[in-house]
Amino acid sequence: MVVHLDDSQEPGPDEIVRTLGEGTFGKVVQVIDSRNSGSQLALKIIKNVSKYREAARLEINVLHKLMERDPTGKYLVIQLLDNFDYYGHMCLVFDLLGLSVFDFMKNNGYHPYPMQQARYIAYQLCYAVKFMHDNRLTHTDLKPENILFVNSSFHVEETKRRKTVRVVDDAAVRLIDLGSATFDHEHHSTIVSTRHYRAPEVILELGWAQPCDVWSIGCIMFELYMGITLFQTHDNREHLAMMERILGSIPYRMGRRTK
């Protein structure tokens, strides 16, 4: 695949249609694949920086390992279709999906998902994460931004308060962004997860394993159904205090071991 990395060009065969998202690692763009009847794909383009290139190699390795165990995508983890090097930029090719459950909710005025859809999204998330855990992997960055609808088409409904809200037609999702996924035998960074979904053992620097993903899932489930972040903070002590307010005191054995 030849991709012209020039957003100003008119879309053509194997060219960028639009930017889907940007981050510190690089960007994700929508492209046309002329080799495959002009199908639309998502292309993750990694900056030509050594640490990001290495992270991309690790992500490719994780995706390949998971695809060996799940060639059909039954377990709802995004599948890598292709990867290549473009003048030092690592490029990963995926199926084009819809909006993230976060972006859909944001575009919907942070209106929460109906119980039935919140439950269905949570079930699929647990199903995908269990598959990773069974293969000795921890995702370490579970959050609503990393759960994408397969198709985010929607219809409009009127609430009891005569307010119109968007309701997604099909709540089928895929789990994405395995760039931080860590095998059990690999080095475990001290701090993982995006702040609001970070488990107490990570904040307390006690070491972590698969249960840190389970904590993140709990935070996500609350957010899907309530439309607000469970722990809206940027400070460690405040974060722990909020946890204690909801769950009771941090266990003594954990408090004793932390610095």
Side-chain angles (χ1 to χ4, degrees), residues 101-113 223-224 227:
V101 298
F102 173 79
D103 284 332
F104 188 91
M105 190 160 59
K106 180 183 176 184
N107 294 346
N108 205 18
Y110 294 99
H111 188 81
Y113 290 92
E223 193 167 331
L224 292 174

Side-chain angles (χ1 to χ4, degrees), residues 200 215 231 239-252 254:
W215 178 275
F231 299 114
H239 198 166
L240 292 167
M242 294 170 85
M243 291 175 180
E244 290 199 322
R245 182 81 177 270
I246 293 171
L247 295 165
S249 299
I250 296 285
Y252 175 73
M254 293 177 73

Side-chain angles (χ1 to χ4, degrees), residues 71-170:
T72 62
K74 171 188 171 186
Y75 290 101
L76 312 183
V77 176
I78 188 96
Q79 294 208 298
L80 182 67
L81 303 180
D82 193 8
N83 65 273
F84 56 93
D85 189 305
Y86 184 83
Y87 295 104
H89 297 275
M90 300 290 287
C91 296
L92 287 66
V93 185
F94 302 98
D95 282 324
L96 182 65
L97 299 172
L99 291 174
S100 71
V101 298
F102 173 79
D103 284 332
F104 188 91
M105 190 160 59
K106 180 183 176 184
N107 294 346
N108 205 18
Y110 294 99
H111 188 81
Y113 290 92
M115 169 61 89
Q116 190 175 356
Q117 290 191 337
R119 184 189 291 134
Y120 181 40
I121 294 167
Y123 172 81
Q124 294 172 88
L125 177 59
C126 291
Y127 188 72
V129 172
K130 182 184 184 301
F131 168 64
M132 292 187 65
H133 290 182
D134 286 346
N135 285 283
R136 302 188 175 187
L137 263 171
T138 307
H139 187 287
T140 78
D141 196 20
L142 295 175
K143 55 184 176 180
E145 291 92 330
N146 286 340
I147 307 164
L148 266 55
F149 287 116
V150 175
N151 185 332
S152 49
S153 63
F154 62 89
H155 60 277
V156 176
E157 291 185 1
E158 192 174 280
T159 65
K160 293 177 182 177
R161 298 180 180 178
R162 296 187 176 280
K163 179 184 174 185
T164 56
V165 296
R166 298 175 180 182
V167 179
V168 70
D169 294 326
D170 183 356

Side-chain angles (χ1 to χ4, degrees), residues 8 43 47 92 106 110 151 197 206 236 249:
S8 66
L43 182 70
K47 287 178 183 173
L92 287 66
K106 180 183 176 184
Y110 294 99
N151 185 332
Y197 311 96
L206 300 176
N236 279 341
S249 299

Side-chain angles (χ1 to χ4, degrees), residues 214-227:
V214 180
W215 178 275
S216 301
I217 291 172
C219 297
I220 293 166
M221 289 170 69
F222 176 91
E223 193 167 331
L224 292 174
Y225 187 61
M226 296 299 291

